[in-house]
Amino acid sequence: MTTRYAVIGTGHRAQMYMNAIAGDHAEVADLVALIDINPGRAAWHRDQHAAFQEAVLAAPEDLEDVIREQRVDRVIVTSIDRCHAEHVVRALEAGADVVVEKPLTIDAPSARAIEEAARRTGREVVVTFNYRYSPRNSALREVIASGRIGTPVSMVFEWVLDTSHGADYFRRWHRDKTNSGGLFIHKASHHFDLASWWLDAVPSRVYARGGLRFYGEDNARERGQELGAERGTHDGEHTPFELDLRGDERLRALYLEQEQHDGYRRDQSVFGAGITTEDNLTAIVDFDSRAVLTYALNAHSPWEGYRVHVNGTEGRAELEVVERAEVIPTDDGSKVVDPSAVRVETGAQVRAEGERLIVQRHFEAAEEVEIVQGEGSHGGGDALMLAEVFRGRQHDPLGRAADWTDGLRAISVGICGNESLATGAPVEVTDFLGIDLRAAAAAAAERSAGAPAAPEGAAQQALESDGARA
């Protein structure tokens, strides 16, 4: 028996799920509907696979009707971040389970609406944190959980996005913070999820600093830099910061040829007006375990990767990853935007691509921990995650599968970080979010063990009354 799926939001991120439904998991999954404000993008995805030819195309306002008429079991939410909460809540209330891309949502009112909907309906909400499944991140989890470095007391976590991948968040809808919650939520929810998962702890207080320091019109003018074209798709010479949609067949078909429907431009200038998302962010995060995280994100680095240093009561673990050693413009203007999803080898001599996990206990020599790679994107992590999404949770001592309570824990840092940026003060997570994360996780675990669901109906009203409807 197959599970019947609808996908809402048919941009770039939906592709991974559609390939999985048409490919490795075709015998257990059936795509019956594609929902988007842009009918051209939905139709393009439908046409990529013969198995999808009977899928219904619909608009977001028809979500409940689609769930009912097509007997949808699960809705995959890959819409714009600010719409996640509305789509999750409406799907749950209409009787479907949900698989939602990170971030779960972008602000406190909509987080509370999802928490209430999940609690009242008792339905399943899976959040897809594929970074947990990456072999290097799983290896660090194993090291910490084994007790080799004792009890973790502090973590230093730095993530740098390069001038290809980092710049891409300032070309598209993410550049407007009201759409994404900024990189503190859209991108860093991955990182804060990893930190909470590695530490097996819940964030309790956040202090943050940061701002827009490199991208944007004002910063470019201050440096005396020419602003260039309004978009990257144009004739003539291009700068390394431009993306010409005509140079990638998929981007051309999915975005450039669909602008007629909604006017959305995927290739805006990273030095244009209207950018409100920060490109440099730092945070100090207290956890309920008494561990402290020091975090930094930069979105205009000349190389891409991350460093995680965990100090424990019996030693230290260090994970260092270089996903792309340098960004060198090509003659034809082509580029790999995300080097974590598509392997890149630059041949750099000083800083080479690769990863290394070192553990050193007190009074002992350092040891390197082997990281066993899998096949495919994110070191095979995406395939492992998709197998659990479509075939159910497997026995996993690392606990990589994530639900809505994990999603809340991840976004709580960014939500409180944004408030700290605005006020200049530390923010208490439970007070500002309005949710006790530890209690929510315990209650969800109890319900999944067989407790009856509460009556349905109030969560959508809560979302609307909070003014958070996307």
Side-chain angles (χ1 to χ4, degrees):
M1 182 176 178
T2 60
T3 300
R4 297 172 66 83
Y5 286 87
V7 173
I8 184 165
T10 58
H12 162 77
R13 197 59 187 163
Q15 186 74 58
M16 176 176 70
Y17 300 95
M18 303 216 194
N19 289 344
I21 293 172
D24 292 342
H25 307 289
E27 73 273 20
V28 296
D30 185 14
L31 181 69
V32 298
L34 292 163
I35 304 170
D36 202 295
I37 61 171
N38 187 308
R41 281 199 293 272
W44 184 87
H45 278 291
R46 181 191 58 188
D47 294 342
Q48 298 310 297
H49 299 285
F52 298 164
Q53 294 310 298
E54 300 301 317
V56 170
L57 303 185
E61 56 266 29
D62 299 322
L63 175 60
E64 290 85 355
D65 291 339
V66 169
I67 290 173
R68 182 183 66 257
E69 294 168 5
Q70 301 302 316
R71 306 186 313 282
V72 172
D73 300 306
R74 299 176 97 192
V75 175
I76 298 175
V77 177
T78 50
S79 51
I80 191 170
D81 294 351
R82 64 176 171 81
C83 294
H84 281 190
E86 177 188 353
H87 295 158
V88 169
V89 168
R90 289 172 60 196
L92 293 175
E93 298 283 14
D97 293 327
V98 172
V99 177
V100 58
E101 260 293 320
K102 66 84 197 165
L104 180 63
T105 187
I106 66 171
D107 56 28
S110 59
R112 292 192 291 272
I114 290 174
E115 187 270 343
E116 185 177 4
R119 175 174 56 79
R120 287 183 175 274
T121 65
R123 305 208 70 89
E124 181 184 46
V125 180
V126 173
V127 184
T128 50
F129 286 120
N130 56 346
Y131 279 13
R132 290 186 177 196
Y133 295 82
S134 178
R136 58 205 179 209
N137 299 328
S138 294
L140 179 55
R141 164 81 165 182
E142 288 180 306
V143 165
I144 296 173
S146 73
R148 289 175 66 180
I149 63 169
T151 301
V153 296
S154 66
M155 176 186 294
V156 178
F157 192 168
E158 178 191 24
W159 200 292
V160 292
L161 296 162
D162 64 29
T163 50
S164 180
H165 190 192
D168 207 44
Y169 295 105
F170 299 86
R171 298 185 186 112
R172 43 194 172 133
W173 54 264
H174 311 73
R175 72 207 308 263
D176 182 347
K177 192 172 179 177
T178 61
N179 287 330
S180 66
L183 293 183
F184 245 159
I185 293 178
H186 177 82
K187 185 62 179 175
S189 62
H190 261 319
H191 312 155
F192 298 137
D193 173 67
L194 285 175
S196 296
W197 180 61
W198 283 326
L199 295 172
D200 191 20
V202 172
S204 59
R205 184 169 66 169
V206 181
Y207 175 69
R209 304 297 296 163
L212 182 62
R213 305 287 188 255
F214 181 77
Y215 300 110
E217 183 177 30
D218 291 343
N219 289 319
R221 289 188 186 281
E222 187 175 305
R223 293 190 297 269
Q225 177 180 328
E226 292 188 12
L227 298 182
E230 292 184 358
R231 62 182 307 180
T233 303
H234 63 81
D235 295 331
E237 293 186 3
H238 290 73
T239 75
F241 286 99
E242 292 180 315
L243 176 65
D244 192 328
L245 298 176
R246 298 171 300 183
D248 184 301
E249 179 61 26
R250 183 170 176 276
L251 292 179
R252 181 190 62 76
L254 192 56
Y255 293 104
L256 186 62
E257 294 181 358
Q258 311 310 330
E259 289 180 7
Q260 58 183 310
H261 298 291
D262 58 9
Y264 172 62
R265 291 185 173 186
R266 170 66 177 77
D267 59 345
Q268 298 175 76
S269 169
V270 300
F271 300 115
I275 296 176
T276 54
T277 289
E278 300 87 0
D279 53 27
N280 280 265
L281 292 164
T282 61
I284 297 174
V285 184
D286 294 329
F287 286 83
D288 64 355
S289 65
R290 298 197 300 169
V292 177
L293 166 67
T294 303
Y295 173 80
L297 173 68
N298 176 278
H300 53 91
S301 170
W303 68 279
E304 178 143 334
Y306 58 102
R307 299 186 178 103
V308 184
H309 299 167
V310 186
N311 298 299
T313 54
E314 298 178 28
R316 176 180 169 97
E318 301 173 353
L319 175 62
E320 302 209 2
V321 178
V322 177
E323 293 180 333
R324 179 160 44 199
E326 56 195 21
V327 178
I328 306 298
T330 59
D331 292 338
D332 63 1
S334 63
K335 51 171 61 76
V336 171
V337 172
D338 184 356
S340 69
V342 179
R343 184 170 177 80
V344 175
E345 294 183 4
T346 65
Q349 299 300 309
V350 175
R351 190 195 310 279
E353 286 86 9
E355 54 199 10
R356 195 177 191 194
L357 175 58
I358 295 175
V359 174
Q360 187 167 11
R361 289 172 51 81
H362 293 159
F363 317 115
E364 296 180 10
E367 300 178 40
E368 184 168 356
V369 176
E370 181 183 8
I371 300 173
V372 180
Q373 292 293 325
E375 294 294 328
S377 55
H378 296 105
D382 286 356
L384 292 173
M385 181 195 72
L386 290 168
E388 288 206 329
V389 167
F390 289 104
R391 297 178 183 272
R393 293 192 181 194
Q394 306 299 312
H395 173 67
D396 180 7
L398 297 181
R400 287 174 291 194
D403 63 14
W404 61 270
T405 64
D406 299 296
L408 285 177
R409 187 169 60 172
I411 61 173
S412 69
V413 180
I415 289 172
C416 294
N418 281 335
E419 176 67 7
S420 183
L421 288 177
T423 64
V427 176
E428 299 292 332
V429 174
T430 299
D431 292 344
F432 188 73
L433 199 63
I435 301 171
D436 184 325
L437 296 174
R438 182 68 75 179
E446 181 180 351
R447 285 193 300 275
S448 67
E456 301 182 10
Q460 181 65 25
Q461 295 175 11
L463 185 62
E464 294 170 1
S465 65
D466 272 322
R469 190 176 179 92

